Amino acid sequence: MPLTPVLTKRWLSPQSWSLRSYEELDGYTALRKALTVAPGELVTLVKDSGLRGRGGAGFPTGLKWSFIPQGDTGAGAKPKYLVVNADEGEPGTCKDLPLMMADPHSLIEGVIISSFAINANFAVIYVRGEAVHALRRVQSAVHEAYQAGYLGTDILGSGYDLEVVVHAGAGAYICGEETALLDSLEGYRGQPRLKPPFPAVAGLYGSPTVINNVETLCSVPYIVLGGAQWWKSMGTEKSSGPKIFSLSGRVEKPGQYEAPMGTTLRELLDLAGGVREGHELKFWTPGGSSTPYFTAEHIDVPLDFDEVAAAGSMLGTTALMIFDETDCIVKATLRFTKFYAHESCGKCTPCREGTYWMVQILQRLVDGEGTAEDLETLLDTCDNILGRSFCALGDGATSPITSSIQYFRDDYIALLPEHERAKLTVGAAQ
Amino acid sequence: MTVQPDTTVDKATLTIDGFEITVPQGTLIIRAAEQLGIQIPRFCDHPLLDPVGACRQCIVEIEGQRKPVVACSVAVADGMAVRTQFTSKVADKAQKGTMELLLINHPLDCPVCDKGGECPLQNQAMSNGRSESRFRDVKRTYAKPLAISSQVLLDRERCVLCARCTRFSNQVAGDPFIELFERGALEQVAIYEDEPFESYFSGNTVQICPVGALTGAAYRFRARPFDLMSTPSVCEHCASGCAQRTDWRRGKVMRRLAGEDPEVNEEWNCDKGRWAFSYATEADRILTPLVRDEETGELTAASWPEALERAAAGLRIARDAGGVGMLCGGRVTLEDAYAYAKFARVVLGSNDVDMRARAHSAEELEFLTGVVAGHRDDVTYADLEAAPAVLLVGFEPEEESPIVFLRLRRLNQTRGLAVFAAAPFASPGTAKLNGTVLLTPPGSEPRVLAALGDGSAGGPGAAAASAMRRPGAVILIGERAAEFPGTFAAATSLAQTTGARMAWVPRRAGERGAVEAGALPSLLPGGVRADDAFARTGVLEFWGVDAPAAAGRDTAAMLSAAREGALGGLVVGGVDPADLPDPATALAALDAAGFVLSLEIRHSAVTERADVVLPVAPAVHKSGSYLTWEGRHRPFEETLRGTGALADGRVLHALADELDVDLALPTPEAARAELMSIGRLLAGATKSTGRLTGGATKSTGRLTGGATNTGSDFLPIGRLTGGATNTGPDFRSASSAGLRPDSPELRSGQALLASWRLLLDEGSLQDGEPHLAGTARRPVLRLSVGTAREIGASAGDLVTVTGAKASITLPLVVTVMPDRVVWVPMKSPGSAVRAGLGSAPGDVVAIAIGRPVN
């Protein structure tokens, strides 16, 4: 499959992160172009491109921008903010950090154009605290951009001003949830906020705020340069453009692979040298640990938002964790669930208590101390969490459990002690 | 309850479980369901706190929506069809599921838990939970209990993390010293190590905790709710007038809770009201009459007949030897105050009666007589709700009337009520009100108020001056205004100039009632001046007595007269001499007086000097009523019956009987009936003669509940200054009386003293409650940075202030305040201003770094 990299095209250039390299490779040309058009036209352009958010939910980016109230009265009269969600923390996901490492200026250019489009004069890049290396790259790129006049007052003589602050989080998965991120940014405990009001109306400091993912914003300059039609020529009808897929686990060459939306795992495995020698694909996550597992059956599902959903999972952050037949799905699920129990913010009961409980059940199962009722208890508890928790983190915690039982129930049963297994056999016979 | 349809608010009509209801837009589903009588289980939801949606217990289904929602956080919409656990399997299962999850980490210790029997978790687990838990794994456990403060204990394993306590502290009290820490299943309530949970309102967190996680140290493990009897009561501490519930068992009060009264205290009270009740059961409680043995000079127990006979004999002699003065203190009930007022006039034939056991002045008396008494234009909590701005004069609400503080804070938080304080510095309470301080050295109040009135004030004063001119603005003036001559006059004048309304907020629960009952030298019941001609034909005629020959003396004058032998005796009820402006004179007067009768609950400096001591009932052993600062009538019934303890009024009635006078006040009901009769009498007299200019027409409006405020007869200020008074100073000259701190008379090392009482201090009604005392604010001394530098002191240094008698040494807190002003708490541990220092607010005192030099 021929690949023409877009988002990753500079990654292998020498000192790709420097302003000089960036400018040599079309850097900041989209910005010059964007500053000549009306902000509203940029919103329309992004809408027309069909760009959907790369943070996991796939919300149309242009539509999100259009929710920001404009004008001189009410919420429109307040300052507007752009917040970059660079708190990449979904297990298996590794696309925003390499983007910021290899090509930080493409993020900054995207930030400037997007801020201009929504009439924001202040933007924050909220970087995951542990990612000190990426943080430094972005900080120094922002510094370079200020020096070069891409940031600050009267950018490129356009009269447009933008201040950008790079903020380091303290390392909490929940702060990737946009409203928890805002609370964290304001100096509070990172816990999700009640909605409404939505951030588009009352976000950072109670002002209209757009929160976009790094990869989303990095896409914007290319759309400005290439146009909506060009962007839509890549990917599928409802999921346009290229996407960075992170492949990890039992593959020969794990890493980031940029491919159009709708590429299948089979095609991606071809690029990555296949499942490791002598082994077979057993199960995989299409979009990180919060998305229900897929199995070998799903190897030809086109990886775009709608096809993956139709097949029973979510595209998420296109973090493909590949497991083979040597991997125990119950152990993998226990490991994921431990992550959710550790990262639950504690605000709502279902997520806080449910993950605490399910870790113990899964641990017992793995230890061979499960009971015949445990599977039902797990499924029922997941049912009591999914759609009942405060934010999507709780929902995500149920994905590995429900999907693993759906596809690999026998693997669970095989872990039960003899006498417990017998109960299930009797139950089935009845 | 009939609610008038309000056409000004947009409505939404929806159905809940098929029942239709129309409510204002923005109403939360859970509130709408309540109105239909549909109970949706909940933990984090509290109607007086912002929704948080944390516990997820109140899940309901909305037809047409993919996911169920939490009823506590979602507002109704027109046409919405809500289905609760009663009609929706999804909601019912979700609620049972959440309940099961809440219980997996909750200990099954209901049999030993204080909350057992009144526990929302226990109750709702029964109504909306599974009958059996599937949880067979390891529960989360913690070391227990964790002392959040000396009075609030936390058992973390019981906590359901609903965040009611943290939200209350943050949103309502403004004391965010308690927060959620950690995350996931280890999330827990905790306090900052260097910021203890010292909130005056911390007890409310115990009350609203929906499980047994927060408990009060005083009540913990003492009783089971189902063994307790509950009696509605009214707080006897301050004039805020909280409704309370007193829970008792076998003749002993076990705890007190905030009662619900949306118009007054909503659902809150302060820690003093909640926990300061053990004073009534202290070891020094007086249970029998005592008479002084003539041979040994010791007080010895006596029978009531003997003691009353001795008291009557003593009073008879004293009455003939110059007369008897009555000091009844500010903690009397309305009925008891009336008994004192009537006893003085009817039995002792004198106007020498005064309830003011604190700094007082003739000017204040004029103010109380002319402006406060008779309910002329009572400001209420509801008026505060509507006020655009409030000016505090001689009044620190958080310390002196905490529920007024909570109301002001809510109004500031929710709609930006502007609060201004004429005070020497921004107190913690003022800061929490986002208040603006008009820096006022003690004694300069009249000058500051005058500047607000004549428009000469600059800076924040200009803002205050303009805010006070907005319709509905309110001046809240405290009893401390009596410390500084000219303050009442200046405030009254400011009210007149600006159109602001004014309310007097005394510190003690009984003072407002005592004003109405006539327990003041120049005032008869119903707000009638003792020197008013009408008094003779009205009240005195009703009593069937002649007018006392002489005008009455106030507390200070009575004590002086007694010390000099001009007064033959004193009747003292509920007065701590240490609270008086001049404790030394008071003690000398008690020593010198020919006869001293003490009506007391517990032994005191007065009983030590009394000839006869008659035991009286603390609030819990009697019925009666208080008037709040608004003049609102707050009746309460006897909580603990059958103890034999007698109210002051009953004792005075018996004593009068011994003196061959029928006081006709055998019960509080009798006193109340008489007060009502006087009210009717005065109302009728006004109609027929038109002679009463004041508010006597409304004097019993609150009592009978019938009369309405006609509002047309606000007393003109001219009457205040020109009123017939024997001792009233000329306000115009008095307003310049305060010595200013920049006066050349003040030298380096000298300062003007500022001081007031803290809510939790060494007041005798807080005795016997060490847990409560443990959260009192640490006594500190405050100086400006300039003055601190002048004496070479910096923050944290011990600084000694030396007054007329002695010194007080406290650690220094450098504060934004006028130079050469020093503030210390008035009656806190190590800081007794009246009895120790011997100086009064506004006096010049010496300040120096370090401990006093001997």
Side-chain angles (χ1 to χ4, degrees):
Chain A
M1 188 180 59
L3 278 177
T4 312
V6 178
L7 296 164
T8 58
K9 72 173 185 180
R10 299 186 192 88
W11 287 20
L12 298 177
S13 306
Q15 298 209 314
S16 63
W17 55 85
S18 68
L19 180 61
R20 211 170 114 190
S21 296
Y22 188 67
E23 284 176 331
E24 281 168 6
L25 295 166
D26 308 331
Y28 290 113
T29 50
L31 173 62
R32 290 173 202 277
K33 187 176 170 189
L35 290 174
T36 63
V37 301
E41 285 179 41
L42 290 169
V43 177
T44 308
L45 172 74
V46 172
K47 264 189 191 172
D48 291 347
S49 75
L51 176 65
R52 294 172 69 173
R54 300 323 198 201
F59 194 82
T61 305
L63 188 61
K64 191 184 247 188
W65 292 1
S66 69
F67 290 156
I68 295 295
Q70 304 288 355
D72 300 328
T73 54
K78 289 185 175 180
K80 289 123 197 126
Y81 300 117
L82 176 75
V83 174
V84 185
N85 188 344
D87 192 50
E88 181 171 66
E90 176 71 12
T93 310
C94 193
K95 61 184 184 71
D96 296 340
L97 293 181
L99 252 178
M100 290 187 285
M101 286 297 288
D103 199 4
H105 283 285
S106 71
L107 172 62
I108 294 166
E109 188 173 6
V111 166
I112 306 169
I113 296 171
S114 306
S115 299
F116 178 69
I118 61 164
N119 287 313
N121 299 108
F122 183 81
V124 184
I125 304 174
Y126 185 102
V127 186
R128 186 173 172 194
E130 298 98 318
V132 181
H133 47 323
L135 181 76
R136 288 183 183 147
R137 277 277 159 87
V138 175
Q139 278 172 336
S140 94
V142 165
H143 180 69
E144 278 183 308
Y146 268 107
Q147 299 288 323
Y150 295 122
L151 288 174
T153 51
D154 192 18
I155 295 167
L156 301 176
S158 65
Y160 174 64
D161 307 334
L162 179 68
E163 299 294 330
V164 170
V165 166
V166 183
H167 180 94
Y173 179 60
I174 189 62
C175 291
E177 198 281 340
E178 59 180 19
T179 59
L181 187 153
L182 293 179
D183 261 17
S184 167
L185 203 48
E186 290 182 15
Y188 298 103
R189 269 169 81 71
Q191 288 197 331
R193 295 178 178 176
L194 269 182
K195 290 184 276 195
F198 291 92
V201 180
L204 186 62
Y205 304 116
S207 292
T209 303
V210 162
I211 301 137
N212 278 148
N213 170 261
V214 171
E215 192 185 355
T216 313
L217 290 168
C218 288
S219 302
V220 170
Y222 301 105
I223 296 172
V224 169
L225 279 182
Q229 286 312 313
W230 167 76
W231 185 262
K232 287 181 81 163
S233 71
M234 292 173 282
T236 59
E237 190 193 340
K238 289 186 177 166
S239 302
S240 58
K243 183 83 186 71
I244 301 174
F245 295 84
S246 325
L247 267 70
S248 60
R250 310 296 197 190
V251 287
E252 287 294 340
K253 289 187 285 176
Q256 289 77 41
Y257 294 88
E258 185 181 356
M261 283 281 198
T263 305
T264 64
L265 176 63
R266 188 186 299 278
E267 291 163 329
L268 289 167
L269 280 176
D270 284 347
L271 295 171
V275 173
R276 64 176 177 157
E277 187 75 50
H279 294 279
E280 280 177 20
L281 175 67
K282 183 176 179 188
F283 59 96
W284 54 290
T285 64
S289 64
S290 306
T291 60
Y293 293 119
F294 272 164
T295 66
E297 282 173 33
H298 301 95
I299 195 163
D300 292 316
V301 171
L303 296 174
D304 74 8
F305 289 109
D306 304 299
E307 293 287 347
V308 173
S313 188
M314 291 176 285
L315 187 65
T317 53
T318 55
L320 291 81
M321 288 182 275
I322 314 295
F323 298 85
D324 66 23
E325 83 289 347
T326 64
D327 297 311
C328 170
I329 185 135
V330 185
K331 276 188 187 164
T333 303
L334 168 63
R335 185 65 195 84
F336 284 158
T337 307
K338 278 185 174 171
F339 171 82
Y340 290 107
H342 180 69
E343 292 293 346
S344 167
C345 77
K347 180 166 187 161
C348 76
T349 308
C351 172
R352 178 185 71 232
E353 306 294 340
T355 53
Y356 173 89
W357 186 9
M358 295 191 300
V359 163
Q360 296 199 38
I361 298 177
L362 288 164
Q363 185 70 58
R364 273 195 291 105
L365 285 164
V366 166
D367 293 346
E369 293 166 9
T371 68
E373 297 80 32
D374 280 344
L375 259 64
E376 270 326 294
T377 305
L378 279 176
L379 286 174
D380 193 54
T381 302
C382 285
D383 184 53
N384 291 334
I385 298 172
L386 183 69
R388 280 68 171 147
S389 58
F390 192 97
C391 75
L393 190 150
D395 295 347
T398 67
S399 294
I401 297 174
T402 46
S403 60
S404 62
I405 296 178
Q406 179 189 346
Y407 296 122
F408 300 101
R409 193 180 191 96
D410 289 346
D411 288 29
Y412 278 87
I413 293 172
L415 288 171
L416 292 179
E418 193 75 38
H419 59 283
E420 293 292 333
R421 215 180 311 148
K423 286 187 202 167
L424 286 175
T425 325
V426 172
Q430 284 168 348
Chain B
M1 189 177 71
T2 312
V3 178
Q4 292 297 317
D6 181 355
T7 50
T8 59
V9 183
D10 286 339
K11 302 281 186 175
T13 299
L14 68 155
T15 64
I16 302 176
D17 293 339
F19 297 98
E20 191 174 286
I21 185 170
T22 302
V23 292
Q25 291 275 10
T27 304
L28 298 168
I29 292 173
I30 201 165
R31 298 279 97 78
E34 281 169 1
Q35 290 186 33
L36 280 170
I38 296 171
Q39 169 82 8
I40 301 169
R42 82 288 303 265
F43 294 104
C44 66
D45 172 71
H46 191 285
L48 299 182
L49 301 175
D50 294 343
V52 62
C55 77
R56 318 304 283 181
Q57 185 58 55
C58 62
I59 284 179
V60 296
E61 226 188 343
I62 298 173
E63 281 177 22
Q65 289 199 10
R66 191 171 54 88
K67 285 187 354 181
V69 302
V70 281
C72 72
S73 312
V74 176
V76 299
D78 209 37
M80 192 182 254
V82 178
R83 300 205 290 146
T84 73
Q85 71 273 15
F86 297 111
T87 59
S88 158
K89 283 195 172 123
V90 170
D92 188 48
K93 169 157 193 306
Q95 290 179 8
K96 286 193 162 72
T98 300
M99 181 65 73
E100 182 183 33
L101 291 172
L102 278 173
L103 292 175
I104 67 168
N105 270 321
H106 191 85
L108 191 56
D109 65 347
C110 305
V112 297
C113 175
D114 279 345
K115 205 78 173 184
E118 58 177 13
C119 175
L121 180 60
Q122 198 178 39
N123 294 344
Q124 294 180 140
M126 302 301 277
S127 62
N128 301 81
R130 297 166 59 95
S131 47
E132 267 184 57
S133 173
R134 293 174 290 187
F135 185 75
R136 52 188 293 275
D137 297 283
V138 181
K139 278 181 192 273
R140 175 188 65 206
T141 53
Y142 291 110
K144 60 183 285 179
L146 190 72
I148 294 281
S149 71
S150 70
Q151 59 198 2
V152 180
L153 305 176
L154 168 66
D155 293 289
R156 286 169 289 179
E157 76 286 355
R158 289 180 187 154
C159 176
V160 291
L161 299 163
C162 69
R164 277 188 183 181
C165 55
T166 55
R167 282 180 295 145
F168 167 83
S169 301
N170 195 9
Q171 294 168 16
V172 179
D175 299 321
F177 304 131
I178 171 172
E179 241 315 341
L180 290 166
F181 282 49
E182 305 298 337
R183 67 186 189 200
L186 290 178
E187 190 182 43
Q188 54 191 278
V189 172
I191 50 170
Y192 308 130
E193 277 174 23
D194 44 359
E195 290 271 2
F197 186 40
E198 284 176 5
S199 169
Y200 287 159
F201 306 97
S202 66
N204 293 294
T205 64
V206 176
Q207 188 169 344
I208 61 174
C209 179
V211 296
L214 293 176
T215 49
Y219 174 72
R220 191 176 164 89
F221 300 140
R222 293 294 192 81
R224 309 314 316 273
F226 33 83
D227 289 337
L228 296 173
M229 298 293 287
S230 297
T231 306
S233 55
V234 176
C235 185
E236 75 272 36
H237 288 291
C238 83
S240 287
C242 285
Q244 290 195 326
R245 190 183 101 188
T246 301
D247 284 358
W248 53 277
R249 188 188 62 181
R250 280 181 253 140
K252 194 174 175 202
V253 174
M254 303 309 294
R255 65 172 175 182
R256 301 205 305 194
L257 302 168
E260 274 185 48
D261 191 330
E263 289 181 19
V264 179
N265 56 307
E266 302 178 271
E267 297 179 25
W268 317 124
N269 70 350
C270 75
D271 288 355
K272 185 162 151 185
R274 182 178 301 265
W275 282 312
F277 57 82
S278 53
Y279 66 89
T281 46
E282 284 292 271
D284 58 357
R285 174 83 189 275
I286 305 165
L287 295 169
T288 65
L290 303 168
V291 297
R292 197 161 294 280
D293 188 299
E294 278 164 19
E295 285 175 16
T296 65
E298 297 294 317
L299 282 178
T300 53
S303 66
W304 273 103
E306 183 194 354
L308 287 171
E309 195 186 315
R310 279 281 295 276
L315 288 181
R316 239 185 227 111
I317 294 166
R319 185 173 58 187
D320 298 340
V324 178
M326 297 193 89
L327 310 176
C328 67
R331 302 214 166 272
V332 280
T333 60
L334 175 68
E335 295 78 1
D336 288 343
Y338 176 67
Y340 279 101
K342 187 177 178 187
F343 192 94
R345 274 77 181 219
V346 174
V347 180
L348 301 174
S350 158
N351 278 319
D352 287 339
V353 56
D354 198 344
M355 58 84 181
R356 295 173 297 172
R358 51 173 174 77
H360 55 280
S361 67
E363 177 196 353
E364 182 199 25
L365 194 55
E366 270 305 304
F367 176 81
L368 296 179
T369 309
V371 177
V372 175
H375 299 289
R376 281 185 180 78
D377 185 27
D378 283 338
V379 175
T380 63
Y381 284 106
D383 294 321
L384 296 182
E385 294 277 336
V390 168
L391 172 66
L392 310 172
V393 180
F395 176 48
E396 167 43 53
E398 195 189 19
E399 307 286 3
E400 296 172 316
S401 203
I403 298 304
V404 173
F405 167 79
L406 284 192
R407 186 63 65 97
L408 294 179
R409 182 170 147 78
R410 173 162 70 68
L411 296 171
N412 172 264
Q413 296 283 311
T414 55
R415 62 166 184 77
L417 167 73
V419 177
F420 298 92
F425 62 91
S427 64
T430 308
K432 283 185 273 183
L433 294 172
N434 296 309
T436 305
V437 176
L438 314 174
L439 289 179
T440 308
S444 291
E445 283 80 358
R447 199 160 47 82
V448 170
L449 297 178
L452 297 183
D454 64 22
S456 64
S466 127
M468 282 300 106
R469 285 168 168 82
R470 293 175 61 188
V474 171
I475 300 169
L476 294 178
I477 189 162
E479 61 183 40
R480 285 190 281 114
E483 286 164 353
F484 307 117
T487 306
F488 280 113
T492 313
S493 170
L494 178 65
Q496 201 180 36
T497 314
T498 59
R501 298 174 69 195
M502 183 152 57
W504 177 66
V505 189
R507 205 176 61 84
R508 294 178 170 94
E511 293 212 359
R512 179 62 201 264
V515 169
E516 300 304 332
L520 286 171
S522 62
L523 202 61
L524 293 176
V528 178
R529 302 174 71 97
D531 56 10
D532 193 305
F534 176 77
R536 268 175 288 277
T537 57
V539 180
L540 296 176
E541 197 170 278
F542 176 81
W543 283 339
V545 295
D546 295 331
R553 281 170 280 205
D554 65 14
T555 301
M558 279 187 264
L559 290 169
S560 296
R563 192 183 57 175
E564 287 153 12
L567 204 54
L570 290 170
V571 177
V572 186
V575 173
D576 181 351
D579 288 344
L580 295 168
D582 186 354
T585 300
L587 295 180
L590 290 167
D591 287 332
F595 180 76
V596 175
L597 169 62
S598 168
L599 282 74
E600 257 302 356
I601 298 170
R602 292 163 54 201
H603 281 288
S604 72
V606 179
T607 60
E608 264 174 44
R609 292 163 174 81
D611 297 291
V612 178
V613 179
L614 299 176
V616 288
V620 69
H621 291 310
K622 65 184 178 187
S623 67
S625 57
Y626 297 113
L627 298 189
T628 67
W629 63 274
E630 321 152 275
R632 185 190 301 264
H633 190 226
R634 304 294 267 171
F636 59 92
E637 290 304 309
E638 197 175 340
T639 299
L640 301 178
R641 293 166 189 275
T643 59
L646 304 177
D648 299 47
R650 179 72 184 86
V651 171
L652 291 174
H653 173 84
L655 187 57
D657 208 33
E658 199 67 32
L659 288 158
D660 301 326
V661 178
D662 181 11
L663 197 61
L665 303 175
T667 60
E669 290 74 24
R672 214 137 61 208
E674 254 192 40
L675 276 166
M676 281 191 205
S677 301
I678 291 173
R680 277 194 294 273
L681 177 76
L682 295 175
T686 315
K687 274 184 207 139
S688 59
T689 66
R691 289 170 66 191
L692 278 180
T693 53
T697 46
K698 291 172 291 169
S699 64
T700 54
R702 294 307 166 96
L703 288 175
T704 56
T708 52
N709 191 338
T710 55
S712 59
D713 51 4
F714 189 83
L715 195 72
I717 192 79
R719 172 124 179 230
L720 253 184
T721 49
T725 163
N726 50 348
T727 49
D730 183 342
F731 287 146
R732 281 157 298 189
S733 61
S735 61
S736 59
L739 179 64
R740 294 163 63 153
D742 52 1
S743 152
E745 292 165 51
L746 272 188
R747 298 189 314 272
S748 169
Q750 286 188 328
L752 292 181
L753 179 67
S755 182
W756 53 78
R757 300 268 308 248
L758 302 183
L759 182 72
L760 301 178
D761 63 2
E762 295 198 314
S764 57
L765 294 197
Q766 298 160 61
D767 287 348
E769 192 41 84
H771 305 297
L772 176 66
T775 63
R777 289 196 169 130
R778 193 174 58 107
V780 295
L781 176 146
R782 294 178 187 273
L783 292 174
S784 71
V785 62
T787 310
R789 202 175 290 142
E790 214 169 61
I791 62 165
S794 50
D797 287 349
L798 287 178
V799 171
T800 295
V801 48
T802 304
K805 257 176 64 182
S807 302
I808 289 173
T809 304
L810 291 171
L812 170 67
V813 171
V814 176
T815 307
V816 176
M817 61 195 294
D819 287 335
R820 295 195 180 167
V821 172
V822 58
W823 180 89
V824 292
M826 186 164 275
K827 200 181 181 182
S828 292
S831 185
V833 169
R834 297 277 187 208
L837 199 63
S839 293
D843 286 358
V844 177
V845 291
I847 48 171
I849 185 170
R851 295 189 177 279
V853 185
N854 290 319

